[in-house]
Amino acid sequence: MPELPEVESARAVIERAGLGRKIVEVDDSDTYVCRPHLPGQIRDALVGRMLVAAHRRGKSMWCDTSEDGPELGIHLGMSGKIVIGDPDGTEVDGGDYWEGRRLPGDYRWSRFALTFADGGRLMLVDPRRLGRVRLDPPVEALGPDAATITPQQFRAALAFGTAPVKARLLDQDAVAGIGNLLADQILWAARLNPGRRVDKLTDDDIARLLRATRTAVRAAIKDGGVHTLKLIPFRVAGAHCPRDGAPMAKSTVGGRTSWWCSVEQALAS
């Protein structure tokens, strides 16, 4: 599933190859992906304009359009990828990590597309059809972005209630951008059990969590996605912690399958 690092890679692709190109056609015919808009509504709003800036907050991404046009929101869902293909066959993409599932030029899963005056296309390619495209998305309700959150904002996000710390990290209203895999990596790096209640966290716990969040996000953006993080290959049955060799433990926390080191991340009484 795309998390903050994958969405950032998609945003960077748009910034690098999709801005300043006049839009001459829009395929917004998928009424599920483009809900609540009717077919042709997004097209009418965008044809003749250009994308002029690409933004991201957490897992949400949106683009400003020229001439004071509407913002174009693109959510990658669980398998989305932004693909920009040009008439000469060159192609760049960013988003979800698909190993062996798509070759260049394979656009069978295109759910939304912009066609530029120069013949290039920007597409949301999404096998599971769980992405979303809409005009003027409500991004203001999201919490602080996990890549840029300040210590004060981070402490505030953990300062109320009795929820398990993993559930709070996954709450996009508290901290925007952390998904299931990234949360497990952060908690493993901070040596905290995912079920630890937020009201039981010490100042040192919170400091370690913030350092682990910053480190994990930076590493995943640099190396190509959350699948590159150190813990991820060990989230399987029979695996042992890559740090101390103890068996990995598994349970459901915050409604999500969670993995942790059975020794270093034991739940304190």
Side-chain angles (χ1 to χ4, degrees):
M1 174 195 304
E3 301 189 30
L4 185 159
E6 286 77 14
V7 180
E8 175 57 25
S9 75
R11 187 208 65 80
V13 162
I14 296 176
E15 185 172 76
R16 184 168 73 247
L19 302 184
R21 302 171 75 172
K22 186 177 181 180
I23 299 166
V24 296
E25 187 54 83
V26 177
D27 178 4
D28 62 354
S29 58
D30 191 314
T31 56
Y32 182 70
V33 171
C34 295
R35 65 190 189 280
H37 304 294
L38 297 174
Q41 186 176 356
I42 299 178
R43 178 188 183 279
D44 291 345
L46 297 184
V47 166
R49 302 184 190 275
M50 298 181 291
L51 306 181
V52 295
H55 308 282
R56 181 196 54 75
R57 188 171 179 179
K59 303 178 188 180
S60 294
M61 175 174 58
W62 68 99
C63 298
D64 298 334
T65 61
S66 62
E67 301 172 14
D68 295 321
E71 294 174 343
L72 174 64
I74 305 174
H75 200 287
L76 300 181
M78 294 184 70
S79 61
K81 184 185 287 285
I82 293 297
V83 179
I84 298 180
D86 287 323
D88 63 2
T90 61
E91 179 182 303
V92 292
D93 67 50
D96 193 29
Y97 173 70
W98 304 342
E99 186 173 8
R101 294 190 62 190
R102 191 187 75 86
L103 297 175
D106 180 359
Y107 306 142
R108 74 183 101 166
W109 297 307
S110 177
R111 310 299 183 185
F112 174 84
L114 306 177
T115 300
F116 300 120
D118 58 18
R121 286 193 294 167
L122 181 155
M123 292 160 279
L124 171 62
V125 179
D126 179 13
R128 298 183 67 178
R129 197 171 170 242
L130 295 173
R132 183 93 180 267
V133 177
R134 63 180 299 179
L135 300 175
D136 296 320
V139 297
E140 64 279 353
L142 293 169
D145 185 82
T148 58
I149 192 169
T150 67
Q152 295 78 11
Q153 289 171 327
F154 195 75
R155 285 195 297 270
L158 299 171
F160 62 93
T162 60
V165 61
K166 180 170 181 180
R168 184 61 50 78
L169 291 175
L170 294 175
D171 181 353
Q172 301 302 298
D173 293 337
V175 182
I178 299 175
N180 197 39
L181 302 186
L182 192 53
D184 278 357
Q185 170 70 33
I186 290 167
L187 290 162
W188 175 78
R191 292 176 168 85
L192 285 170
N193 187 280
R196 180 82 171 270
R197 285 172 31 172
V198 292
D199 61 325
K200 301 295 185 182
L201 295 173
T202 66
D203 289 344
D204 183 61
D205 292 334
I206 293 172
R208 294 202 317 277
L209 273 174
L210 179 56
R211 288 195 299 271
T213 299
R214 289 172 168 170
T215 298
V217 168
R218 284 196 299 264
I221 290 173
K222 175 179 177 289
D223 295 334
V226 294
H227 66 281
T228 64
L229 294 171
K230 187 170 183 178
L231 182 69
I232 307 310
F234 301 91
R235 298 175 77 259
V236 294
H240 291 77
C241 173
R243 189 166 50 217
D244 69 354
M248 292 293 292
K250 173 188 176 186
S251 187
T252 300
V253 180
R256 304 300 301 275
T257 299
S258 305
W259 293 84
W260 65 93
C261 174
S262 58
V263 172
E264 291 187 327
Q265 291 175 266
L267 186 61
S269 57

